[in-house]
Structure formats: C-alpha cells, structure tokens
Amino acid sequence: MNPPPLPSKQTKVFGNNFVFESMPDPGNPIGLLENLLKFPGRVVHELHQTRSAILAMWLLIFGIVGVAIYGIVVGAQSGGAQLWIAPAKLGLGTLLSVLICLPSLYIFLCLGGIDAQLRNVCGALFAAVCLTSILLIGFAPVAWIFSQSTDSIVFMGALHLIFRVIGIRFGLRLIHAMGRFLGAQGKGHLRIWSVIFILVCFQMTTTLRPIVAPSKTFLPTEKKFFLTHWMESLANSSQGKPRTSIH
C-alpha cells in the first residue's frame, strides 16, 4: 500500500514555516542533517516515501552518536573512566527511551485521528532524537567551559538537564508539526505523550546513574525515582557530603 499523498503547501507551525516538499539528494547523510535543521518539513516528507527506512536508520545513528559525543563533555567533569562511561550511558539511555516510548507514540497518533504507519512514526521519533543530539552538540562548548571551571556536580548535572530539556523541546516540536500536517484532530494526545517521553528520559538518567560523578559500580545498586534522587543530591551537596550526581 502506498503512503497517502502529502499536500504540497506551506503551513504555520509553532511560529516557523514548515514546507513539506521533496528533499534534494535524499541519499546524502550530511544533507539530511542540514535539512533537519533548516527545512525539517522536507525530512518529514521524505519519511513518508519509499526511502523512509534508510533515512530513519541514518537519523537514529546520528542521534545516538550525537548524544554519545555530548556524553564525552559530560564525562569530562570527573575524567578518568567517566570519559567513556558517560557517553555509553547517555547513548544507551537514549536508545532505551526511544524503544520504550515508541509503541505509545504510535497509539497516541492513531487516537489523534492519524492513519499512521509504524515505519513513519519510527522515522519521526528518530528525527526528533537526532535534532535533540545536534542541539546538545551545539551546547557542548558551553558545558565544557563550566565543567573545567567548577567542581559542583549538582550544578553541572542541572546544567546538562537544562540543555537536554531544550533539545527535547525542539525534537518534540518536530513530532507535533508532523501530527498537525497529517491531520491530527487536536493536540491533546501528543501533549500527553510528550510529558510521558520527558518523564521516561528523566527516569532513565537516574536508572543509569551516576553519569556525571564517578562511581565504584557501573550501575546503581538501588532503585530510585528521579525526583527523590535529585532532592537527595541537593541535600547532600548543601551538607558538604561526598559528591553525587543528579544527572
């Protein structure tokens, strides 16, 4: 079954113009990243064409690699083994978050009145992750400067979380734009899913802790809710106790 034709028009989404049209040279991976930043509507359009599986694969690879590159900056705060542990955990956490939330995204899109195909939904989510990773790489020099000038694990953890929330926000905007363009009846379903996705990403950083601070074990030995972990980290920091990480 061929995918439904996409209307060739310009639509106003979140204050930016998303033009859904064919992407020049869709087989060029570097061009794919450039279009994702400048013309995201083209990427959404191509994800509904015959090459969607290949594009989705490239978007996922770029997304995971980009997050891992940013993880090197995260690990630079403590140095040593964290220089490879932080990238590994951030890359793994991102992949797990995507796999965990993909089924619910497909369901919520269908409930929103979209005749969605799973491969297209995968591509849209991978594109959102890729865009988030590009923004994180853009924030990497700022994070590195702070990591070299402060020993506060709590401050650095909070800074990394802020940068990640900003990146996720732009990634989710791409998914919302796709939903509206394909005829979603209202925004409520995707807004609910967006909250779920953010919560899963936050919990994943706690599940795979520590990421910023060093540890004797690769993974934690006890289960914690991310808000509980953050509050405990802040309390320990104010009392001058051994370093811990909220990220």
Side-chain angles (χ1 to χ4, degrees), residues 21-35:
E21 59 187 7
S22 298
M23 186 173 68
D25 193 12
N28 183 358
I30 303 302
L32 175 63
L33 294 179
E34 184 176 0
N35 278 276

Side-chain angles (χ1 to χ4, degrees), residues 56-106:
M57 180 191 67
W58 277 116
L59 289 168
L60 180 61
I61 292 174
F62 285 141
I64 300 301
V65 172
V67 171
I69 292 174
Y70 182 78
I72 297 176
V73 177
V74 175
Q77 176 70 29
S78 299
Q82 290 302 118
L83 288 174
W84 69 266
I85 291 177
K89 287 186 175 181
L90 287 178
L92 176 62
T94 300
L95 180 59
L96 290 176
S97 298
V98 167
L99 295 178
I100 290 171
C101 295
L102 178 59
S104 58
L105 175 59
Y106 175 76

